[in-house]
Amino acid sequence: MKSLWNDTEAQAFSNDPLELRVYTSRLLGANPDLVLHGGGNTSVKLNQQNFFGDPEELLLVKGSGWDLATIESPGFAPVRLDTLKRLAELETLSDTEMVRQQRAAMTDPGAPNPSVEAILHALIPFRYVDHTHADAVLAVTNHPDGEKSVQEIYGNRVIVIPYVMPGFVLAKKVRELTQGKNWADYEGMILMNHGIFTFDDDARESYEKMIRLVTEAEDYVRQKGARETSKAKVREDLVGLAGIRKKVSETAGKAMLAVPDQTEDAGGFSSRKDISEIAVRGPLTPDHVLRTKNIPVMLDENPVEAIETFKNQYLDYFKRNTDGQLTCLDPAPRWAVWKEHGTLAFGRSVKETTIISDIIGHTRKTIQQVEDWSSWKALPEKDLFEVEYWELEQAKLGKPGKSPNFQGKIALVSGAASGIGRACAETLHQQGAAVLGLDLNPEVEQIFNKPGLMGFCCDVTDDESIRQAVNLVVRNFGGLDVLVSNAGNFPAGLTLEKMTAETWDSSMRLNLSSHQRLLTAATPFLQQSLDGAVVFIASRNVPAPGPGASAYSVAKAGLTQLARVASLELGSYGVRVNVLHPDCVYDTGLWSDDVLQGRAEKYGMSVEAYKSRNILKKEVTSREVAEMVAAVAGPVFLKTTGAQIPIDGGNDRVI
């Protein structure tokens, strides 16, 4: 492990201890072998004047919700140091009351809640304190002879604390075990099965002590015989993945994403002969249990049955450990080892699954390193349960809050680079869905390029391109719940007398056949969807066709009939299929100036008169169509299928 300290960068903060604290915190957070999402904490002690000009000694400690990799100065909560030290002297203190008292002792009520380790930071008599969950240190502590290994590496240079529950109990234990000790005699502190602290009055020295001590742990593990993690190619089963995701979601009582890790590292781990034994011994550090539960589900030839078994075992685990006053969390797993298929992360959002996936990756690596020379051993079940059912976490369960309609759902939208398709993709994503937008325009991959909202250049008239697109959405998110089949164009306005075979065939290929091909490719996954919904974007031209648009109108009429048949065939799987008939939507790529002019001339109107020809005299926007799509695909229309819904400002011929 190498120090990332840079004299030039640090010089800019040399006169500001808090900014220097931010700098070294980010150095720690930049290394995932030290700190994963939200893990670890840092602090600095300062003398500052209060509102009245009186000097106060403060602890500025990482606040709840901040990540060391990106933390800024507002992410540090300022707490009166004397209050924290007095709290440490109490015989007992619930964590709920601890949080309350820490918040009351803050000098800035707008700052985030202080870390639950704030009291411990206050007890360490140095200006800078750093705490990480370094993988190498956990590899050293998490085996039967962990304390012996710590002694072999560090001798008497570190304070060793047996595992106790984080928060007040840990602070009290540290205070008890360090009475009479001279902290200056030690380079750091090892918390068994939990992590490592370093400290110093100099920010650089505290940071580099962390690097040195963790490097010694890395060297020790290598010297003991730890090798590179095993590697193997994974088998892919996307239909099986969708089935796993559906069962996990049903078990959780809410829609979940299922994100596979198909790297060779994941393949090697899932293919080990001893995987069923070593993977279920517990997490690297108790903090992870809040994200991953105590163990993963082990999937084999019958994943659905394995998930059901996991559920029952989890409920038994809860019953064994509850005091009768706790609320059981949902019994669904948060990660899985799928034999020879890699590992899976389950979560309500891409952000959540990304965090879990990173934890899984470090867990795989560290377990295998320990197994190369010893035997991986996590904390006992009771200790893990105490963290998973921490009173601070239980308190969150009662907080009101409604998830967005599509949280945990997965959507595929065609024709997504502009107009109605783009608005649909953005609206569904804003309402919680993970979305893949398709378009022939390659710019779609730049338009949608962020977590949970992806673009893919796809020719929906090509079967192979469609297959790749459908596989991509399943491979990235675990399944498919919502299909918005929107791709299309408005061919040149030709009467039947002047219709060319090329115009006719081209319209049928894109405006009709491509939708059937996309639906066919998506059907195996829609059959395993969660309240599945297909929305076809047709046209007002279906119920009220006009002259000179036969190639378009006939294709859209065929699309409507396709939807009616699909609603009959997919209804037994709980999948709804409905059709929207938009009109007067002129902010789309279909309506170029030439097309508008041509359509207006067909009706003997000016362009402006043509655009306001509906009963309400109102233009319909792409965003309004997208809102209707979201409504039809969502819970409001949960009992509606085979319907045709106009969104056209009212058309006298339709009415």
Side-chain angles (χ1 to χ4, degrees), residues 40 48 69 157 210 223 258 264 328 335 366 381 393 433 436 439 456 460 478 481 521 540 573 605:
Q48 291 185 345
R157 294 183 292 129
M210 179 68 70
Q223 290 164 9
E264 290 191 351
C328 187
W335 72 288
T366 308
E381 176 184 285
E393 296 299 317
L436 179 65
D439 205 283
F456 179 66
V460 291
D481 303 306
R540 183 272 306 166
Y573 297 97
M605 297 179 176

Side-chain angles (χ1 to χ4, degrees), residues 126 212 462 627:
F126 289 93
R212 289 197 297 271
D462 178 77
E627 294 288 349

